[in-house]
Amino acid sequence: MKNSQDIYSLNKEINRFEKEYHYGAYVYTNNCSFEILLNDLPVVNHFMPSNGTLKGSYYPLNWNISKNGIQNITIKMYPGFNQDANTFNKTLENNSAIQIKIVKSFLDSNNALTDEQEVITYTTPQKKINETLISVFSGRTSYEDTFTFTAEIPYEIQTLENSEIIFTKDVEKLKQLEKEVATKYNEIREIYMSGSKDELANMNYNKEKRIAQQIYLSSAGIKDRWDNDYQFRTDQNLDFFDLKPIEKFTVKFYANGKIVCLQKINNKKSALWGGFKRKNKKEVTTTYISLYLHRPKGSNELFVY
């Protein structure tokens, strides 16, 4: 049984290296909703208003990199949300586009990140019609593409290599898995609502150990993440915390069928969600708690990834 003190002590389990590379993606978009996955793990899932844009939003990538070598990026594009009609548009437009710039840097001897180096830049393809460049997928209901880059990573995480493929096309098995996943989500919700933060630490210990290695967290960084990224009803800086019942969800698979999660039907965000209010704030903050589950080989139980 792990507890919060075990989380704080994770630095003893983390290997350090001469060059600790950090990878990230700058994302530029126009007039589309989209998903970006790295090694079939979600980086960002963004459902945009029509003509909405991202202008170089940065997303860290190490979270989804488990070992050195070739990394696979998948882009899935959908029409933007028409706010006037309160529904998504039917098709992608002439000016729908995405550009992704992959960069890397590393921590120097002073524990400071070096200047970023561009690794690769991807742009969705265009075609020329009457001297005007337009997207090749204009008029389609969706578009998907992939590209790769090579990452220099000093660590190796084997969690998913040692996990079972739990995706199934068998209807009855899928129904049973859905019940099992919902039960696990409810179990974790119950810890948030009436359990202790030590119980939460026990549930998330392996996840926090993995992430601490992937982003080379220091002892202070590990403590700060556990103290601040996991809002909990007993935190002294909160005077309100609540998570809604697990309902109205769909099942989503990642990592080539090795990871499963529940998403709300209306916005495709985590089905484990609710709100909290800090003591120095007037407004309640809506929170969606990302929760991905996997099954280690030889186990009958689902664990937090």
Side-chain angles (χ1 to χ4, degrees), residues 228-240:
N228 297 305
D229 286 11
Y230 283 81
Q231 298 297 335
F232 200 68
R233 71 180 193 288
T234 58
D235 289 354
Q236 294 182 354
N237 65 329
L238 300 182
D239 61 15
F240 171 79

PDB file of all heavy atoms in Angstrom, residues 228-240:
ATOM      1  N   ASN A 228      -0.205  19.931  -6.160  1.00  0.00           N
ATOM      2  CA  ASN A 228      -0.996  20.929  -6.886  1.00  0.00           C
ATOM      3  C   ASN A 228      -1.790  20.389  -8.065  1.00  0.00           C
ATOM      4  O   ASN A 228      -2.831  20.953  -8.405  1.00  0.00           O
ATOM      5  CB  ASN A 228      -0.077  22.058  -7.374  1.00  0.00           C
ATOM      6  CG  ASN A 228       0.565  22.805  -6.227  1.00  0.00           C
ATOM      7  OD1 ASN A 228      -0.118  23.309  -5.349  1.00  0.00           O
ATOM      8  ND2 ASN A 228       1.892  22.876  -6.221  1.00  0.00           N
ATOM      9  N   ASP A 229      -1.322  19.323  -8.700  1.00  0.00           N
ATOM     10  CA  ASP A 229      -2.022  18.827  -9.893  1.00  0.00           C
ATOM     11  C   ASP A 229      -3.168  17.897  -9.550  1.00  0.00           C
ATOM     12  O   ASP A 229      -4.038  17.657 -10.379  1.00  0.00           O
ATOM     13  CB  ASP A 229      -1.044  18.106 -10.828  1.00  0.00           C
ATOM     14  CG  ASP A 229      -0.143  19.069 -11.573  1.00  0.00           C
ATOM     15  OD1 ASP A 229      -0.148  20.263 -11.205  1.00  0.00           O
ATOM     16  OD2 ASP A 229       0.567  18.647 -12.499  1.00  0.00           O
ATOM     17  N   TYR A 230      -3.185  17.351  -8.343  1.00  0.00           N
ATOM     18  CA  TYR A 230      -4.250  16.463  -7.910  1.00  0.00           C
ATOM     19  C   TYR A 230      -5.143  17.192  -6.912  1.00  0.00           C
ATOM     20  O   TYR A 230      -4.920  17.128  -5.709  1.00  0.00           O
ATOM     21  CB  TYR A 230      -3.671  15.194  -7.276  1.00  0.00           C
ATOM     22  CG  TYR A 230      -3.154  14.195  -8.282  1.00  0.00           C
ATOM     23  CD1 TYR A 230      -1.897  14.355  -8.856  1.00  0.00           C
ATOM     24  CD2 TYR A 230      -3.921  13.095  -8.672  1.00  0.00           C
ATOM     25  CE1 TYR A 230      -1.408  13.440  -9.781  1.00  0.00           C
ATOM     26  CE2 TYR A 230      -3.444  12.178  -9.586  1.00  0.00           C
ATOM     27  CZ  TYR A 230      -2.191  12.360 -10.144  1.00  0.00           C
ATOM     28  OH  TYR A 230      -1.711  11.447 -11.061  1.00  0.00           O
ATOM     29  N   GLN A 231      -6.128  17.932  -7.420  1.00  0.00           N
ATOM     30  CA  GLN A 231      -7.056  18.607  -6.520  1.00  0.00           C
ATOM     31  C   GLN A 231      -7.856  17.556  -5.745  1.00  0.00           C
ATOM     32  O   GLN A 231      -8.343  16.584  -6.321  1.00  0.00           O
ATOM     33  CB  GLN A 231      -7.992  19.520  -7.313  1.00  0.00           C
ATOM     34  CG  GLN A 231      -7.283  20.645  -8.057  1.00  0.00           C
ATOM     35  CD  GLN A 231      -6.575  21.605  -7.115  1.00  0.00           C
ATOM     36  OE1 GLN A 231      -6.941  21.729  -5.957  1.00  0.00           O
ATOM     37  NE2 GLN A 231      -5.563  22.290  -7.620  1.00  0.00           N
ATOM     38  N   PHE A 232      -7.974  17.758  -4.446  1.00  0.00           N
ATOM     39  CA  PHE A 232      -8.624  16.769  -3.586  1.00  0.00           C
ATOM     40  C   PHE A 232      -9.450  17.496  -2.541  1.00  0.00           C
ATOM     41  O   PHE A 232      -9.070  18.582  -2.080  1.00  0.00           O
ATOM     42  CB  PHE A 232      -7.564  15.881  -2.917  1.00  0.00           C
ATOM     43  CG  PHE A 232      -8.096  14.580  -2.403  1.00  0.00           C
ATOM     44  CD1 PHE A 232      -8.531  13.598  -3.273  1.00  0.00           C
ATOM     45  CD2 PHE A 232      -8.165  14.337  -1.044  1.00  0.00           C
ATOM     46  CE1 PHE A 232      -9.011  12.377  -2.806  1.00  0.00           C
ATOM     47  CE2 PHE A 232      -8.649  13.127  -0.559  1.00  0.00           C
ATOM     48  CZ  PHE A 232      -9.078  12.145  -1.450  1.00  0.00           C
ATOM     49  N   ARG A 233     -10.562  16.908  -2.155  1.00  0.00           N
ATOM     50  CA  ARG A 233     -11.522  17.631  -1.316  1.00  0.00           C
ATOM     51  C   ARG A 233     -10.942  18.059   0.034  1.00  0.00           C
ATOM     52  O   ARG A 233     -11.416  19.002   0.651  1.00  0.00           O
ATOM     53  CB  ARG A 233     -12.778  16.785  -1.091  1.00  0.00           C
ATOM     54  CG  ARG A 233     -12.539  15.620  -0.191  1.00  0.00           C
ATOM     55  CD  ARG A 233     -13.772  14.767   0.050  1.00  0.00           C
ATOM     56  NE  ARG A 233     -13.500  13.870   1.154  1.00  0.00           N
ATOM     57  CZ  ARG A 233     -12.675  12.834   1.067  1.00  0.00           C
ATOM     58  NH1 ARG A 233     -12.078  12.572  -0.063  1.00  0.00           N
ATOM     59  NH2 ARG A 233     -12.451  12.090   2.133  1.00  0.00           N
ATOM     60  N   THR A 234      -9.902  17.347   0.531  1.00  0.00           N
ATOM     61  CA  THR A 234      -9.320  17.701   1.831  1.00  0.00           C
ATOM     62  C   THR A 234      -8.200  18.738   1.720  1.00  0.00           C
ATOM     63  O   THR A 234      -7.623  19.117   2.737  1.00  0.00           O
ATOM     64  CB  THR A 234      -8.765  16.448   2.534  1.00  0.00           C
ATOM     65  OG1 THR A 234      -7.776  15.836   1.697  1.00  0.00           O
ATOM     66  CG2 THR A 234      -9.875  15.454   2.832  1.00  0.00           C
ATOM     67  N   ASP A 235      -7.883  19.196   0.497  1.00  0.00           N
ATOM     68  CA  ASP A 235      -6.841  20.215   0.351  1.00  0.00           C
ATOM     69  C   ASP A 235      -7.248  21.483   1.081  1.00  0.00           C
ATOM     70  O   ASP A 235      -8.388  21.959   0.948  1.00  0.00           O
ATOM     71  CB  ASP A 235      -6.602  20.523  -1.135  1.00  0.00           C
ATOM     72  CG  ASP A 235      -5.899  19.372  -1.847  1.00  0.00           C
ATOM     73  OD1 ASP A 235      -5.504  18.410  -1.162  1.00  0.00           O
ATOM     74  OD2 ASP A 235      -5.747  19.451  -3.071  1.00  0.00           O
ATOM     75  N   GLN A 236      -6.325  22.056   1.826  1.00  0.00           N
ATOM     76  CA  GLN A 236      -6.633  23.217   2.649  1.00  0.00           C
ATOM     77  C   GLN A 236      -6.919  24.470   1.832  1.00  0.00           C
ATOM     78  O   GLN A 236      -7.527  25.416   2.343  1.00  0.00           O
ATOM     79  CB  GLN A 236      -5.485  23.486   3.628  1.00  0.00           C
ATOM     80  CG  GLN A 236      -5.302  22.375   4.663  1.00  0.00           C
ATOM     81  CD  GLN A 236      -4.205  22.668   5.657  1.00  0.00           C
ATOM     82  OE1 GLN A 236      -3.487  23.654   5.522  1.00  0.00           O
ATOM     83  NE2 GLN A 236      -4.069  21.821   6.663  1.00  0.00           N
ATOM     84  N   ASN A 237      -6.483  24.491   0.566  1.00  0.00           N
ATOM     85  CA  ASN A 237      -6.717  25.678  -0.255  1.00  0.00           C
ATOM     86  C   ASN A 237      -8.075  25.643  -0.958  1.00  0.00           C
ATOM     87  O   ASN A 237      -8.412  26.552  -1.720  1.00  0.00           O
ATOM     88  CB  ASN A 237      -5.611  25.842  -1.306  1.00  0.00           C
ATOM     89  CG  ASN A 237      -5.607  24.716  -2.328  1.00  0.00           C
ATOM     90  OD1 ASN A 237      -5.968  23.587  -2.024  1.00  0.00           O
ATOM     91  ND2 ASN A 237      -5.194  25.020  -3.544  1.00  0.00           N
ATOM     92  N   LEU A 238      -8.878  24.603  -0.689  1.00  0.00           N
ATOM     93  CA  LEU A 238     -10.196  24.493  -1.322  1.00  0.00           C
ATOM     94  C   LEU A 238     -11.297  24.594  -0.269  1.00  0.00           C
ATOM     95  O   LEU A 238     -11.134  24.143   0.860  1.00  0.00           O
ATOM     96  CB  LEU A 238     -10.334  23.149  -2.050  1.00  0.00           C
ATOM     97  CG  LEU A 238      -9.364  22.821  -3.183  1.00  0.00           C
ATOM     98  CD1 LEU A 238      -9.736  21.472  -3.779  1.00  0.00           C
ATOM     99  CD2 LEU A 238      -9.351  23.900  -4.256  1.00  0.00           C
ATOM    100  N   ASP A 239     -12.418  25.187  -0.677  1.00  0.00           N
ATOM    101  CA  ASP A 239     -13.593  25.121   0.202  1.00  0.00           C
ATOM    102  C   ASP A 239     -14.773  24.442  -0.494  1.00  0.00           C
ATOM    103  O   ASP A 239     -15.867  24.388   0.061  1.00  0.00           O
ATOM    104  CB  ASP A 239     -13.983  26.507   0.724  1.00  0.00           C
ATOM    105  CG  ASP A 239     -14.351  27.494  -0.368  1.00  0.00           C
ATOM    106  OD1 ASP A 239     -14.586  27.068  -1.514  1.00  0.00           O
ATOM    107  OD2 ASP A 239     -14.416  28.694  -0.070  1.00  0.00           O
ATOM    108  N   PHE A 240     -14.527  23.909  -1.709  1.00  0.00           N
ATOM    109  CA  PHE A 240     -15.572  23.138  -2.395  1.00  0.00           C
ATOM    110  C   PHE A 240     -14.908  22.177  -3.360  1.00  0.00           C
ATOM    111  O   PHE A 240     -13.951  22.532  -4.053  1.00  0.00           O
ATOM    112  CB  PHE A 240     -16.517  24.065  -3.161  1.00  0.00           C
ATOM    113  CG  PHE A 240     -17.487  23.325  -4.052  1.00  0.00           C
ATOM    114  CD1 PHE A 240     -18.618  22.726  -3.528  1.00  0.00           C
ATOM    115  CD2 PHE A 240     -17.244  23.204  -5.418  1.00  0.00           C
ATOM    116  CE1 PHE A 240     -19.497  22.028  -4.336  1.00  0.00           C
ATOM    117  CE2 PHE A 240     -18.124  22.518  -6.235  1.00  0.00           C
ATOM    118  CZ  PHE A 240     -19.257  21.934  -5.695  1.00  0.00           C
TER     119      PHE A 240
END
